[in-house]
Amino acid sequence: MKYPRLIINETKFKNNVKVAIDICKKNNIDVLAVTKGFCGNRRMAELYSECGIKYFGDSRLENFDVYSDIEGHKQLLRIPSIFEIQDVVKKCDSSLNGDLNVIQKISKYCLNQNLKPHKIVLMVDLGDRREGVLPEETLYTVDQIINLKGVELIGLGCNFGCYGARIPSDEAMQIFVDLKHKIEQKYNIKLSHMSGGNSLSLHLVWENRMPKEINFLRMGFAMIFGTEDMYRKTIKGMFRDAFRCQAEVIEVDYKSSLPVGKCGIDAFGHKPYFEDIGDIKRIIVGIGKLDTMFDAMIPIDKDLKILGGSTDHLIINANDSKHNYKVGDIINFDLDWGSLLYLFNSKYVEKIFEK
Ligand SMILES: *Cc1c(COP(=O)(O)O)cnc(C)c1O
């Protein structure tokens, strides 16, 4: 018995993936399943594959190695760095791109090596202000790309809700698909890969607002947590709790809520603030900032309140709980994106797959 644990319910996760595929299929959209949250966990890629996923995306090239033998199109989601070009071309069927210099270097590499052109999806920044060219720069950029013989422009991509927390609007999507039509007409090419966003764009599909030109969505979050950031409700037919964390109580005590002594800085360089709520029952759980992101851990016992912690300890106010926690008890947590990432990435966390 080893804790902390990340528990993956395969049945619930696969159900979520199938529901997402069904929602998208009605609009002729393929789900490009995003594996980056699983930090190279092979079983997770297998689960996607068992659901019928044929397109996979990740931001880190190493993660593709783990499931290189699983059949499907592999797309690099983070715009490649100049030093990654060789591996991108080798490991990926396509990549998202935003910088003409990088695209030129990819082309040069493929030509030099006598490889077939690398497929690229040009990212267009519709307002979130992360990667991509601006709509007004897109045609100029495409002009340059068309002349490069070592790359093949297969489509355009857009992204919302990541850096700028922008929500996709009908106007932005219209600008996006207008660009597709302009490019196809001007260069007499077909842009067959129109990548219309991430999980935050899924609601456009079920609201019948997604332009028919969009035929791909890159999704992780919605299938992992059965929810998305627009409505923040569980998506019909999905489960919110396909993933959970279990950690062990390693100390229980009654202490004042206020530390004693002159206040300096904590282990992470911050000056903390403490509210004096008198003596409280506190439990220390054997999981720390090395393993997870506390803000993204939601105790399933709603009466538990996370107070904070340090590298290896999580401190919880258990004063209001109906349960009389003792050392050795297991605390269950629902997760969010930040904790999922850390837990999958921590070698100290056991990954348990349940049916
Ligand atoms: C991570 C990522 C996605 C997936 O986002 P979710 O919110 O998990 O659906 C899509 N596109 C890009 C470029 C990404 O980096």
Side-chain angles (χ1 to χ4, degrees), residues 282-302:
R282 300 162 9 123
I283 56 183
I284 300 184
V285 182
I287 189 169
K289 292 189 182 179
L290 194 56
D291 311 296
T292 192
M293 187 187 272
F294 294 159
D295 294 349
M297 299 278 283
I298 308 131
I300 291 178
D301 177 347
K302 294 282 171 255

Side-chain angles (χ1 to χ4, degrees), residues 89-147:
V89 171
K90 190 163 87 195
K91 296 177 184 179
C92 303
D93 299 288
S94 68
S95 57
L96 305 182
N97 279 272
D99 191 298
L100 193 53
N101 284 299
V102 179
I103 298 169
Q104 283 163 342
K105 291 207 162 61
I106 297 175
S107 175
K108 203 166 162 193
Y109 177 78
C110 288
L111 289 175
N112 282 344
Q113 302 289 314
N114 261 324
L115 298 168
K116 63 176 196 300
H118 177 69
K119 294 184 166 69
I120 61 166
V121 174
L122 180 65
M123 294 301 282
V124 181
D125 180 355
L126 296 172
D128 203 52
R129 291 294 175 266
R130 201 177 68 182
E131 74 275 56
V133 294
L134 295 171
E136 56 271 30
E137 294 172 338
T138 305
L139 284 166
Y140 167 79
T141 310
V142 170
D143 243 351
Q144 315 296 306
I145 296 172
I146 293 292
N147 292 319

Side-chain angles (χ1 to χ4, degrees), residues 224-250:
I224 296 167
F225 295 119
T227 180
E228 43 78 66
D229 283 337
M230 181 66 200
Y231 295 105
R232 294 167 185 265
K233 277 199 247 165
T234 306
I235 297 168
K236 200 161 161 245
M238 291 200 189
F239 295 101
R240 174 66 183 83
D241 60 350
F243 297 79
R244 65 186 197 279
C245 174
Q246 292 187 329
E248 202 177 356
V249 176
I250 55 173

